[in-house]
Amino acid sequence: MEETHKQAGVFLELRQHLQSGLLVLRTDVAGDPAEVTVSGGDSFLQIKMPTWRLPVVLPPGVALTEGSCREVSNTREEGLHLRLRLQVNQHTEAPESMMRILQVKKSYCFSCQRCRAQVLTKRVFQRVLPLPNGNWNTLVEDWCCHPDPFANRKLLPRPGDCLLGDTYFLLLRDSECDQTLRQEPSNAHTDTGHNQGPAQKPSRMTLVLCRACGAVLGETLAAETLKLYITELMVKRSDEDGEAISNEHRWLFLEQTVAARLVELSSTQSIFRFSLQTPNGKAFILLWLLNTDSLVASLSLPVVSGDASISPGDDVSVRAEHLSCGASSAVKVLYLPCAPGLHQDITDAWEKDVSVHPLILPQTTCQEVMELLTSSTSSLPPSLRSMNCYQVAFMRL
């Protein structure tokens, strides 16, 4: 019963490239399967059940193929599963992450995502440059016939630079930082990362915190160099109005930021397996990107006891006849938490595999990502929650 309470009342996944979809209605929501119909037109679906109907807004260019809906299965534990066919004339494009937004000779403001306090204002960059791949030290050792020329040398920004890692910015401190940021020593140690040679020993980290709320925004790499994570900051042009994002929920911001980076790294570097790690190099979550063309819609509804179905008179925050939802772009991932003694053989194999890409995030952010993945998994129908030993989740773009 607990699993049923967590499962979304309505779950819809549409695959744009495959032009197919799966609709799952929880047993108490579907009622009599014979009376469930799915119709639609350009950019919308309508799911009609015995006592109420649910409109679903689709992106432009996506439509249901009329008459294609067919029942696949219907069990009390799983609910009603229906297969759909789609007509896709226009594929939705994944939004760009803030890494792609930054341009030279433009003025930007950086704000703490948690409290919205501005920490860096009117930053103008003369150069915006990507840092080497996270496994660049290993690649140099494998491909160079001479000693690593970058060993024991740090890649640090010069004045006017913004260096882009996979999940962070490298910036120089200025006098403004003394007013908006503070530093605090950490008990953890940094791992040998993109800017350290393999011969260097880990050093104790100094955290960079928002002075207004105390949130960890990053670390210091050198006396005047800041490493700030994209999951902790909002970036906008200085001449833009920030009201549109000022109230964005933390989980949604984090989910979209991480998902956008997964899509960009997979499309530009053909990387599909990621190791989400803390700054000390400890693996926290193993992520396997399955597909990036999903459109997902789900609606959480209270479970009705017995054999009753949802009716317009039931209290579901608003009256059922006024319910609607939209299908949003999402990535589908497999994931595995890196807990001691749990799937250790898989964790060890991933750590030794050079094709697994490390993504570094603060410890608290790794925990938040784990929570949102777990929440996504629990909302899925039971048969869709796992694949072999991995858990399945969706992350919205």
Side-chain angles (χ1 to χ4, degrees):
M1 179 60 71
E2 182 180 355
E3 295 298 320
T4 303
H5 277 277
K6 293 180 180 179
Q7 180 183 341
V10 179
F11 172 76
L12 175 68
E13 181 193 8
L14 306 177
R15 293 291 306 278
Q16 296 180 83
H17 292 309
L18 300 180
Q19 298 192 2
S20 66
L22 173 66
L23 171 64
V24 182
L25 302 176
R26 207 172 58 209
T27 301
D28 60 308
V29 173
D32 184 359
E35 298 185 45
V36 175
T37 60
V38 181
S39 59
D42 187 27
S43 303
F44 83 94
L45 283 178
Q46 182 164 261
I47 306 167
K48 186 177 180 181
M49 285 153 281
T51 54
W52 64 294
R53 63 187 64 191
L54 176 68
V56 180
V57 180
L58 304 178
V62 180
L64 173 72
T65 300
E66 288 296 335
S68 66
C69 182
R70 62 183 179 86
E71 180 179 331
V72 178
S73 64
N74 181 28
T75 64
R76 187 172 186 83
E77 296 77 17
E78 281 286 320
L80 177 63
H81 287 231
L82 301 169
R83 282 287 179 187
L84 315 171
R85 295 295 299 172
L86 303 176
Q87 295 176 348
V88 181
N89 299 320
Q90 178 182 339
H91 293 273
T92 57
E93 295 184 2
E96 292 183 329
S97 72
M98 63 181 71
M99 295 291 196
R100 300 292 184 90
I101 297 174
L102 292 176
Q103 300 177 17
V104 297
K105 298 182 180 179
K106 302 290 184 181
S107 180
Y108 294 94
C109 291
F110 293 72
S111 301
C112 172
Q113 196 278 326
R114 297 176 190 268
C115 72
R116 311 308 195 256
Q118 288 193 355
V119 294
L120 301 173
T121 60
K122 298 182 179 179
R123 279 290 184 114
V124 179
F125 303 113
Q126 302 305 314
R127 298 194 305 173
V128 179
L129 302 173
L131 287 164
N133 181 284
N135 291 322
W136 75 281
N137 283 121
T138 304
L139 296 176
V140 169
E141 292 175 359
D142 291 343
W143 289 96
C144 283
C145 58
H146 51 76
D148 183 358
F150 301 103
N152 302 319
R153 296 179 61 186
K154 293 184 177 182
L155 302 179
L156 299 177
R158 297 175 181 176
D161 283 355
C162 177
L163 303 186
L164 307 178
D166 291 327
T167 56
Y168 55 84
F169 311 102
L170 293 188
L171 307 169
L172 285 181
R173 289 179 59 90
D174 59 15
S175 57
E176 179 187 27
C177 296
D178 296 331
Q179 307 299 321
T180 60
L181 302 172
R182 63 183 177 89
Q183 298 183 14
E184 181 178 292
S186 170
N187 293 328
H189 292 76
T190 57
D191 185 38
T192 53
H194 79 277
N195 60 344
Q196 293 179 318
Q200 285 186 283
K201 295 181 179 180
S203 58
R204 190 174 297 276
M205 285 193 301
T206 299
L207 301 178
V208 176
L209 290 77
C210 171
R211 189 174 289 275
C213 69
V216 175
L217 305 181
E219 304 113 31
T220 60
L221 290 187
E224 299 300 322
T225 302
L226 301 176
K227 178 181 181 180
L228 303 177
Y229 292 100
I230 62 173
T231 54
E232 314 308 313
L233 296 171
M234 296 188 300
V235 182
K236 67 179 183 67
R237 290 267 296 273
S238 299
D239 56 355
E240 289 181 351
D241 182 12
E243 291 299 319
I245 60 173
S246 62
N247 295 320
E248 189 170 358
H249 191 275
R250 166 64 182 170
W251 268 27
L252 178 59
F253 173 84
L254 178 60
E255 184 177 11
Q256 293 177 333
T257 300
V258 174
R261 285 305 288 151
L262 295 180
V263 172
E264 289 175 351
L265 290 170
S266 67
S267 62
T268 59
Q269 301 183 33
S270 297
I271 297 171
F272 303 97
R273 291 191 297 163
F274 303 87
S275 174
L276 199 63
Q277 300 177 2
T278 57
N280 62 3
K282 181 181 179 182
F284 201 94
I285 308 171
L286 304 181
L287 279 175
W288 196 330
L289 183 62
L290 288 187
N291 61 265
T292 61
D293 67 327
S294 290
L295 298 172
V296 175
S298 64
L299 186 65
S300 297
L301 294 170
V303 175
V304 178
S305 59
D307 296 325
S309 61
I310 299 290
S311 67
D314 291 324
D315 181 11
V316 288
S317 300
V318 293
R319 291 179 62 83
E321 65 264 30
H322 295 151
L323 288 175
S324 65
C325 62
S328 57
S329 297
V331 298
K332 186 176 183 179
V333 299
L334 301 180
Y335 69 94
L336 200 63
C338 299
L342 183 64
H343 305 297
Q344 195 61 45
D345 54 338
I346 298 177
T347 303
D348 292 342
W350 279 51
E351 288 181 349
K352 297 174 183 177
D353 193 336
V354 71
S355 67
V356 176
H357 195 76
L359 294 178
I360 312 298
L361 291 175
Q363 172 89 22
T364 54
T365 304
C366 289
Q367 294 170 346
E368 288 178 303
V369 173
M370 188 71 246
E371 290 173 7
L372 69 86
L373 290 172
T374 303
S375 177
S376 172
T377 302
S378 64
S379 69
L380 298 176
S383 63
L384 303 181
R385 294 176 185 172
S386 63
M387 187 179 296
N388 296 328
C389 61
Y390 297 93
Q391 300 296 302
V392 179
F394 290 89
M395 302 180 72
R396 290 167 291 180
L397 287 163

